[in-house]
Amino acid sequence: MITSVKNEKVKQWKKLHKRKERTQAGAFLVEGFHLVEEAVKSNWTVREVIIQEGVELPSWTDNYPVVSISDNVMAYISQTAAPQGIIAVIESRQQTQRSGNHLLLIDSIQDPGNLGTIIRTADAAGMDGIMLGDGTVDLYNDKVIRSTQGSIFHIPIIHANLGEMVSALKEEGFTIWATALENASNYNDIIPGNKVAIILGNEGAGVQADLIEQADRSVKIPIYGQAESLNVSIAAGILMYHLKR
């Protein structure tokens, strides 16, 4: 039982709250029974399971190193308002392989809730993969992970140079859609082809101009009310399900 927040192990766990430390360690924290179990069921590598005193151990923890901690240590390392008493240290994946005909390209989306919701929706819509460009929020940010509700463990997610990725996809016969407000076609006027990749842009600035130029077409979602724009995760959901019509 670890009871001190000054314990070396506790210090290492706490460091994983920061992107730089997660990158160096090649690991991240996952909190709560549902998310930890999703990681286990999806065969991600679990380095260790951290259990708060008084919390019943699930049977599957027999397969992993388990560390017991006191209430005060859980409060110190948890990133949620009401911890469930279980945290796992999960090994990061550097995925490079992609396949399938429906892809998302994420250009500098910075809100963790937006990215997490997009990943969750992409999983639900049966998308084949997601490419994260430079300037995008860290995939292993705790708010991103919680917003995915476990979908982070189900769908291939790759870090990529989006300019190079667009060129490669076009050579493979993909049609590239870039979301935009100007000189764009209404999405519901377009019949999707067999192979489509959608570029989604930053919440404030949108898709970068050079990526829009590379795209085969710009698409927009019509707004019928007084709102200036749609949240990017909502727009992503509409477009992804349009591909599946």
Side-chain angles (χ1 to χ4, degrees):
M1 172 76 69
I2 296 177
T3 60
S4 172
V5 297
K6 295 182 179 179
N7 179 280
E8 253 337 286
K9 230 179 199 323
V10 176
K11 290 179 181 178
Q12 293 303 313
W13 295 332
K14 185 75 169 181
K15 284 182 178 180
L16 296 179
H17 290 190
K18 297 180 179 179
R19 182 174 190 165
K20 179 181 177 182
E21 300 291 345
R22 289 192 292 269
T23 301
Q24 289 181 352
F28 59 101
L29 299 178
V30 173
E31 286 196 51
F33 285 96
H34 171 67
L35 290 176
V36 174
E37 288 173 5
E38 285 299 312
V40 170
K41 287 192 295 186
S42 301
N43 296 317
W44 282 57
T45 301
V46 178
R47 291 187 180 176
E48 59 189 345
V49 178
I50 305 160
I51 291 284
Q52 185 176 349
E53 60 179 323
V55 173
E56 185 176 352
L57 281 171
S59 59
W60 54 260
T61 57
D62 294 343
N63 300 318
Y64 305 102
V66 176
V67 183
S68 297
I69 61 172
S70 60
D71 296 347
N72 65 302
V73 174
M74 177 58 74
Y76 181 69
I77 63 172
S78 174
Q79 297 176 84
T80 62
Q84 293 180 21
I86 183 169
I87 298 176
V89 180
I90 308 292
E91 205 164 282
S92 308
R93 283 189 179 177
Q94 299 299 321
Q95 302 186 78
T96 57
Q97 300 300 315
R98 59 176 173 80
S99 61
N101 294 336
H102 292 150
L103 304 173
L104 282 186
L105 278 60
I106 306 297
D107 178 23
S108 304
I109 288 177
Q110 295 175 344
D111 182 271
N114 282 340
L115 180 61
T117 301
I118 288 169
I119 293 169
R120 181 180 181 182
T121 309
D123 182 19
M127 298 295 285
D128 297 304
I130 300 172
M131 283 84 227
L132 304 182
D134 295 338
T136 298
V137 62
D138 181 25
L139 176 62
Y140 300 120
N141 175 293
D142 70 295
K143 292 179 181 178
V144 172
I145 295 167
R146 290 202 301 274
S147 296
T148 72
Q149 282 296 299
S151 289
I152 187 174
F153 304 118
H154 303 161
I155 186 170
I157 303 173
I158 298 168
H159 291 84
N161 178 300
L162 295 190
E164 294 175 0
M165 181 60 67
V166 167
S167 296
L169 290 172
K170 290 177 78 170
E171 289 181 6
E172 294 174 25
F174 275 81
T175 299
I176 311 298
W177 294 5
T179 53
L181 296 176
E182 297 180 2
N183 302 315
S185 304
N186 285 346
Y187 82 96
N188 46 16
D189 291 334
I190 305 169
I191 299 174
N194 184 47
K195 302 172 76 172
V196 179
I198 303 172
I199 309 174
L200 300 166
N202 174 269
E203 291 88 347
V207 176
Q208 295 179 63
D210 58 335
L211 292 175
I212 292 176
E213 289 177 9
Q214 280 185 272
D216 295 296
R217 65 192 314 160
S218 296
V219 299
K220 66 180 179 180
I221 298 169
I223 293 176
Y224 302 110
Q226 300 301 309
E228 185 177 290
S229 62
L230 280 172
N231 173 277
V232 66
S233 63
I234 298 296
I238 292 170
L239 294 174
M240 285 188 280
Y241 273 91
H242 181 63
L243 295 186
K244 302 293 182 176
R245 52 182 259 178

